[in-house]
């Protein structure tokens, strides 16, 4: 617990220092140098996966499905997620003052297929090609976004500042339309303009404030049926989970950043260290490096 507090304090200080223009500029140059050095070591991708990576770079988002991805362990993963859903749902009435409920670490350990799906080698290869550097896998977040009027946290516009580059893979577990809280984003080229207009450094932006600098027609909603998969470059564009109004959103988030600690301000993994040790018993060495960075 003490080490976790120290790490959280360290990350908070580093994030604050990184907002200083001179420091950030030097850090970005150093980061790009590391990316250039790693180019010869990037894993080889199929043409389809190269196209996927290119589209994330261009737009910030790529939408596909579990069926189209054809990841080997998908059936076990999705079945485990479906089995876990009702075990979290029964507790929603106890959390009327919150906007989201997360599965506990014990619940994730009861269904390890969920965590392990995020370590599928093909996914790691895609993420590494996008980031340009070896991957740190920060774990999985199984969440229910509740249909209520609570407007705070990730329901507000923000850019993830936990690392120089962030990629999240989001999987919908139920059908999500405009009224069930889809993931929303503002394209990267517009995000750059808004950052300058708001002099944004970090934190959350109320939708009212966002509408003062850009039209709602620029909001892009990621709707889709259960099994929809969203690759999102959340470190380079404004995004939020739209407030659900007529039904809860069930989704799973897999979080990835570069493994270089000097370019990452992430806290601990989604699972305690003792649980990671248990899961790592059957992992390959490259997979272990992703979780024990």
């Amino acid at each position: 617990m003490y080490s976790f507090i120290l790490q959280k304090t360290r990350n908070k200080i580093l994030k604050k220092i990184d907002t200083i223009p001179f420091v950030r500029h030097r850090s970005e140059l150093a980061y790009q140098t590391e990316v250039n050095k790693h180019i010869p070591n990037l894993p080889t991708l199929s043409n389809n996966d190269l196209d996927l990576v290119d589209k994330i770079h261009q737009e910030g988002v790529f939408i596909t499905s579990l069926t189209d991805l054809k990841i080997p362990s998908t059936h076990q993963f999705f079945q485990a997620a479906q089995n876990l859903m009702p075990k979290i749902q029964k507790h929603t009435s106890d959390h009327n003052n919150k906007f989201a409920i997360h599965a506990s670490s014990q619940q994730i350990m009861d269904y390890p297929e969920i965590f392990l799906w995020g370590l599928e080698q093909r996914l790691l290869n895609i993420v590494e090609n996008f980031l340009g550097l070896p991957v740190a896998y920060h774990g999985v977040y199984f969440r229910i976004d509740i249909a209520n009027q609570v407007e705070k946290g990730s329901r507000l516009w923000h850019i993830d500042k936990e690392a120089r580059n962030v990629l999240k893979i989001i999987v919908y577990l139920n059908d999500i339309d405009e009224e069930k809280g889809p993931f929303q984003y503002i394209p990267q080229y517009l995000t750059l303009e808004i950052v300058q207009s708001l002099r944004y450094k970090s934190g959350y932006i109320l939708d009212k404030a966002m509408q003062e600098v850009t039209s709602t027609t620029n909001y892009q909603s990621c709707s889709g049926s259960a099994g929809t998969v969203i690759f999102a470059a959340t470190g380079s564009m404004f995004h939020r989970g739209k407030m659900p109004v007529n039904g809860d959103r069930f989704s799973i988030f897999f979080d990835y950043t570069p493994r270089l600690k000097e370019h990452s301000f992430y806290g601990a993994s989604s699972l305690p260290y003792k649980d990671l040790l248990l899961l790592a018993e059957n992992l390959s060495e490259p997979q272990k490096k992703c979780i024990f960075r």
Side-chain angles (χ1 to χ4, degrees):
M1 182 60 154
Y2 183 65
S3 61
F4 172 75
I5 294 173
L6 281 178
Q7 185 178 23
K8 190 174 181 179
T9 302
R10 166 199 173 271
N11 291 340
K12 187 175 181 180
I13 293 171
L14 289 177
K15 282 177 72 174
K16 186 71 174 178
I17 293 173
D18 194 61
T19 62
I20 302 171
F22 172 73
V23 173
R24 184 166 183 81
H25 178 66
R26 290 195 60 178
S27 180
E28 286 175 348
L29 290 177
Y31 178 81
Q32 193 55 52
T33 298
E34 294 296 331
V35 169
N36 292 338
K37 284 167 54 178
H38 190 65
I39 289 174
N41 301 317
L42 289 173
T44 302
L45 297 183
S46 67
N47 288 335
N48 285 341
D49 287 349
L50 281 171
D51 184 55
L52 186 160
V53 172
D54 286 343
K55 287 181 178 176
I56 303 173
H57 279 299
Q58 293 167 15
E59 176 70 12
V61 163
F62 180 81
I63 303 175
T64 181
S65 69
L66 290 174
T67 300
D68 289 344
L69 271 179
K70 297 183 175 67
I71 300 297
S73 63
T74 288
H75 176 73
Q76 297 93 319
F77 155 66
F78 198 68
Q79 186 62 56
Q82 293 291 318
N83 290 339
L84 180 52
M85 280 173 65
K87 297 183 179 181
I88 305 174
Q89 186 177 21
K90 68 177 65 173
H91 299 298
T92 56
S93 60
D94 301 329
H95 296 273
N96 291 330
N97 61 333
K98 296 184 178 181
F99 68 92
I101 303 168
H102 290 79
S104 67
S105 57
Q106 183 56 58
Q107 287 173 319
I108 295 297
M109 288 300 291
D110 290 340
Y111 297 93
E113 300 90 348
I114 297 172
F115 181 92
L116 295 175
W117 188 82
L119 282 168
E120 280 277 0
Q121 193 57 55
R122 181 166 157 238
L123 287 177
L124 294 177
N125 291 346
I126 289 171
V127 175
E128 184 169 344
N129 271 266
F130 171 75
L131 297 176
L133 288 170
V135 177
Y137 174 47
H138 299 278
V140 60
Y141 299 88
F142 189 124
R143 59 185 286 165
I144 304 172
D145 287 86
I146 307 167
N148 61 23
Q149 298 300 308
V150 178
E151 186 179 9
K152 63 180 182 180
S154 58
R155 289 184 174 179
L156 305 179
W157 293 104
H158 61 287
I159 301 173
D160 291 338
K161 296 291 186 177
E162 291 85 357
R164 187 69 57 211
N165 208 348
V166 181
L167 185 70
K168 294 189 177 182
I169 300 176
I170 306 164
V171 180
Y172 288 162
L173 300 177
N174 59 332
D175 297 345
I176 302 300
D177 57 22
E178 198 66 36
E179 303 303 311
K180 281 193 176 178
F183 176 82
Q184 286 190 318
Y185 69 98
I186 297 174
Q188 292 178 127
Y189 74 96
L190 287 173
T191 287
L192 289 173
E193 297 176 6
I194 296 167
V195 164
Q196 294 176 349
S197 297
L198 295 177
R199 296 184 179 180
Y200 178 84
K201 292 183 178 179
S202 63
Y204 295 106
I205 304 294
L206 289 168
D207 191 49
K208 181 179 178 181
M210 185 61 76
Q211 290 185 37
E212 292 177 359
V213 293
T214 192
S215 168
T216 56
T217 59
N218 293 321
Y219 297 179
Q220 304 297 309
S221 291
C222 300
S223 300
S225 58
T228 293
V229 181
I230 304 163
F231 290 80
T234 58
S236 59
M237 63 183 183
F238 278 112
H239 62 280
R240 68 173 182 175
K242 188 179 180 183
M243 187 184 301
V245 294
N246 69 358
D248 300 336
R249 183 188 77 183
F250 290 76
S251 59
I252 299 179
F253 285 65
F254 300 85
D255 288 10
Y256 307 88
T257 68
R259 201 177 300 163
L260 294 175
K261 288 188 176 180
E262 59 268 35
H263 297 291
S264 179
F265 316 127
Y266 247 92
S269 170
S270 64
L271 292 177
Y273 186 74
K274 62 180 178 61
D275 290 340
L276 294 177
L277 288 175
L278 289 173
L279 291 171
E281 290 178 358
N282 297 315
L283 295 181
S284 67
E285 286 304 313
Q287 289 173 319
K288 290 177 182 179
K289 289 180 180 179
C290 291
I291 61 175
F292 298 117
R293 49 204 174 277

